[in-house]
Amino acid sequence: MFSMTVAAMRRHRIAGAAALAAALIAPGAAAAAAAAPAAQASVSHPARTGGYGGSRAGNAALNWAEGHARGCWYSYGGSSCSPGYDCSGLVMAAFGHGAGIWLPHSTYSMPGNRHLHRISLSQARRGDLMFYGSGHVEINTIWYHQTFGAHHSGQRVGWRTWSPWWHPTAAYRVW
């Protein structure tokens, strides 16, 4: 079963890359490439990947967060721009408003939620949740070693690059 899922994911990725190449080389050929049977590789689970490889829910949540929460202040316990967001409040709001999936407002409760599925850090893609220990969570971006989140008092919600002393310890995909 696992090898069939991996094979289907590989076919889907290859077909997507072929469609992108066709769109760049000959825009008219993109429609034909998208209609090819290989591009229609079936993934029966509702967590089909979004355009950047993460779940559709994760991509929608990050889009909402970047568009609605960027620049808001950090506020412990907050879950809106006024008075501000804390890390789990931002994630809760982003997935709720962006993807219709309401998660708990606690980094300790999130990993046990039925919508979160643990993945290895190397498999993390855009929109996946990145946990820093058990007390902090942010949303993974498409940029290498960079997440989006509410960091701490005195800072605005935005992007942060990992460092040797500040990096995620666990990753979860949401669907």
Side-chain angles (χ1 to χ4, degrees):
M1 178 73 172
F2 177 74
S3 62
M4 291 183 353
T5 303
V6 171
M9 289 172 49
R10 285 183 182 147
R11 282 193 305 274
H12 184 71
R13 286 183 184 155
I14 291 169
L20 177 61
L24 294 173
I25 295 169
Q40 304 297 321
S42 67
V43 177
S44 61
H45 200 279
R48 283 184 256 181
T49 59
Y52 296 101
S55 69
R56 288 183 182 172
N59 281 289
L62 182 59
N63 290 342
W64 185 91
E66 289 176 329
H68 292 88
R70 183 187 59 208
C72 296
W73 287 101
Y74 177 93
S75 176
Y76 181 78
S79 60
S80 65
C81 197
S82 176
Y85 292 98
D86 68 2
C87 65
S88 58
L90 172 64
V91 167
M92 181 186 75
F95 277 90
H97 293 293
I101 297 173
W102 290 95
L103 301 173
H105 188 171
S106 164
T107 57
Y108 303 103
S109 299
M110 281 184 188
N113 186 276
R114 67 183 179 91
H115 293 289
L116 271 68
H117 305 275
R118 185 141 189 190
I119 57 174
S120 69
L121 287 170
S122 64
Q123 292 176 322
R125 300 293 181 258
R126 183 181 192 275
D128 291 337
L129 293 182
M130 308 301 279
F131 283 83
Y132 295 73
S134 60
H136 186 72
V137 63
E138 296 186 7
I139 305 171
N140 201 31
T141 67
I142 194 169
W143 300 296
Y144 183 70
H145 285 184
Q146 195 165 59
T147 53
F148 184 87
H151 309 296
H152 56 77
S153 295
Q155 288 195 339
R156 292 184 182 267
V157 172
W159 297 271
R160 174 171 286 186
T161 303
W162 307 357
S163 69
W165 57 90
W166 182 253
H167 56 85
T169 55
Y172 287 81
R173 185 152 299 149
V174 179
W175 69 75

